Amino acid sequence: MRIAIIGVGSIGGVLLGCLSDTDARILCVSRGQTTSILKEGLIMKTPEGAMEAIPSGRYDVFDSHWDENEIGQIEPVDVAIISGKSHSTNELATISKKLLDEDGLVVSIQNGLGNVELLANRFGVERSLAGSTTHSAWRSDEGVVNWSGRGSIELGNLNGSDANGKSLELVGYLGNAGLNPQWSNKIRGVLWRKLLINVAINPICAIVGVRNGTLAREPLLWEQAIQTMKEAELVAKSSGVDLEDLDIEQCLREVVSNTSENRVSMLQDIMAGKKTEIEVLCGAVVQRGEEFGIPTPMNQMLLALIKGIEDSVNYD
């Protein structure tokens, strides 16, 4: 199987590092400094502390800023996995469309809501998969991918169908790569559960400038996180999303404990002067809350604060 990883940041780097141990033929789509680093090879630190060097000969690299004529010279791929920032989904979908075989699959493993719906409009529901991961990772300024915690990857189709054909083959490759893939027939609920965690942790840690573990040690921050999460839970249930028997406080406590030393991606983006994903996190909760007449004051406040921070810097 030929697999393209569109956006090789932290999670994209983990996908690359793990899939390089399989017989998959891998194409990396990146830009700028990341492209230069990948041409020299990928360095990945595993959760157990081992340093792995993946030689550049194990994959191909394509710079998304190259001339479009060069895309036509690339062998089509069977699967395009989009792991870049949500605010670039439209651009990354356009690149994916030019790279994919005519019956190829496109997969979103991104934060927030709306990504897979955008892909479904471009590629059709049958060819578009939603994904969510509990693997945690961060990338250093030198480009080293630090895989800080093992988890799983859940994949599914918006229509709730079973895995078949290329989707089943993809699950097999991810399994061989040690990424613990799971197929879900209720992927909307999976995406919302991930969103609840993200709105509770990301913006608060980004604004205060702390690692995840601080939330559990500071009662006021913890209460803010829980209230933000409860708003999103109410909006999800009003949207008809099945969250099953989710205990939000227990779920948040487990995630914060397992990722206590992590700096969330939103904090990393702010520190680097980059645009955040607040619009598809708190922004999505606020928008859907307005549609159902549900007040979301905590999410509104966090959205406004992060947007204010963004407006104060020249982000990429």
Side-chain angles (χ1 to χ4, degrees), residues 7-9 28-40 61-66 91-92 95 139 141-143 274 316:
V8 189
C28 300
V29 179
S30 57
R31 63 183 180 185
Q33 183 183 13
T34 301
T35 301
S36 300
I37 292 172
L38 289 174
K39 285 183 176 180
E40 298 298 323
V61 182
F62 171 70
D63 193 307
S64 60
H65 286 170
W66 286 352
E91 175 190 354
L92 300 179
I95 294 172
R139 191 175 65 173
D141 293 338
E142 294 76 25
K274 295 181 178 180
D316 294 336

Side-chain angles (χ1 to χ4, degrees), residues 34-95:
T34 301
T35 301
S36 300
I37 292 172
L38 289 174
K39 285 183 176 180
E40 298 298 323
L42 176 73
I43 304 298
M44 181 175 74
K45 184 177 181 180
T46 70
E48 293 74 34
M51 298 296 289
E52 296 186 359
I54 293 88
S56 58
R58 184 61 193 85
Y59 51 83
D60 297 320
V61 182
F62 171 70
D63 193 307
S64 60
H65 286 170
W66 286 352
D67 191 302
E68 290 191 6
N69 293 329
E70 298 185 68
I71 298 180
Q73 301 174 20
I74 297 176
E75 179 185 355
V77 301
D78 300 298
V79 177
I81 302 177
I82 298 179
S83 56
K85 295 295 185 181
S86 294
H87 50 72
S88 300
T89 300
N90 194 52
E91 175 190 354
L92 300 179
T94 298
I95 294 172

Side-chain angles (χ1 to χ4, degrees), residues 3 28 32 41 71 84 107 121 126 132 146 149 163 176 190 215 220 233 254 273 275 279 281 304:
I3 301 174
C28 300
I71 298 180
V107 184
N121 287 334
E126 294 294 335
S132 176
N146 293 268
N176 291 337
V190 173
L215 289 182
L220 289 178
E233 179 187 35
E254 289 177 357
K275 186 175 182 179
E279 292 285 1
L281 298 177

Side-chain angles (χ1 to χ4, degrees), residues 17-303:
C18 293
L19 284 169
S20 68
D21 287 334
T22 72
D23 63 0
R25 292 175 295 154
I26 308 168
L27 171 66
C28 300
V29 179
S30 57
R31 63 183 180 185
Q33 183 183 13
T34 301
T35 301
S36 300
I37 292 172
L38 289 174
K39 285 183 176 180
E40 298 298 323
L42 176 73
I43 304 298
M44 181 175 74
K45 184 177 181 180
T46 70
E48 293 74 34
M51 298 296 289
E52 296 186 359
I54 293 88
S56 58
R58 184 61 193 85
Y59 51 83
D60 297 320
V61 182
F62 171 70
D63 193 307
S64 60
H65 286 170
W66 286 352
D67 191 302
E68 290 191 6
N69 293 329
E70 298 185 68
I71 298 180
Q73 301 174 20
I74 297 176
E75 179 185 355
V77 301
D78 300 298
V79 177
I81 302 177
I82 298 179
S83 56
K85 295 295 185 181
S86 294
H87 50 72
S88 300
T89 300
N90 194 52
E91 175 190 354
L92 300 179
T94 298
I95 294 172
S96 299
K97 196 171 187 67
K98 295 175 180 177
L99 293 173
L100 272 174
D101 197 0
E102 60 182 13
D103 63 344
L105 296 177
V106 60
V107 184
S108 167
I109 300 184
Q110 299 167 279
N111 288 329
L113 299 181
N115 297 302
V116 70
E117 287 82 0
L118 186 155
L119 298 180
N121 287 334
R122 298 280 293 273
F123 298 89
V125 173
E126 294 294 335
R127 294 178 60 198
S128 306
L129 300 183
S132 176
T133 182
T134 55
H135 292 287
S136 58
W138 58 279
R139 191 175 65 173
S140 71
D141 293 338
E142 294 76 25
V144 176
V145 172
N146 293 268
W147 184 8
S148 52
R150 294 184 186 274
S152 62
I153 296 177
E154 291 193 71
L155 298 173
N157 194 291
L158 288 178
N159 61 16
S161 61
D162 293 330
N164 58 66
K166 285 186 177 178
S167 61
L168 195 60
E169 187 178 0
L170 173 62
V171 170
Y173 269 94
L174 294 174
N176 291 337
L179 289 166
N180 190 24
Q182 301 170 17
W183 185 264
S184 174
N185 297 114
K186 298 180 179 180
I187 197 64
R188 291 185 187 274
V190 173
L191 296 179
W192 270 95
R193 289 198 299 274
K194 180 68 177 293
L195 179 78
L196 263 62
I197 292 296
N198 280 335
V199 298
I201 298 177
N202 283 27
I204 295 175
C205 286
I207 292 167
V208 183
V210 295
R211 298 178 188 268
N212 296 5
T214 303
L215 289 182
R217 295 192 296 270
E218 297 294 335
L220 289 178
L221 295 182
W222 182 258
E223 181 60 26
Q224 289 179 324
I226 292 296
Q227 290 305 315
T228 305
M229 204 174 179
K230 285 182 177 178
E231 290 179 2
E233 179 187 35
L234 184 56
V235 172
K237 290 181 177 178
S238 299
S239 302
V241 176
D242 183 8
L243 295 175
E244 300 178 339
D245 297 323
L246 179 67
D247 183 327
I248 62 171
E249 186 157 1
Q250 179 182 345
C251 180
L252 181 60
R253 197 172 296 281
E254 289 177 357
V255 172
V256 169
S257 175
N258 292 336
T259 64
S260 61
E261 294 303 312
N262 282 16
R263 285 194 180 99
V264 292
S265 59
M266 190 171 291
L267 175 56
Q268 293 180 56
D269 287 339
I270 287 176
M271 292 172 66
K274 295 181 178 180
K275 186 175 182 179
T276 74
E277 296 181 300
I278 194 66
E279 292 285 1
V280 295
L281 298 177
C282 294
V285 174
V286 171
Q287 178 185 348
R288 286 163 175 75
E290 290 174 349
E291 293 173 0
F292 290 100
I294 298 172
T296 56
M298 283 299 303
N299 281 274
Q300 286 180 320
M301 180 187 69
L302 293 172
L303 172 64

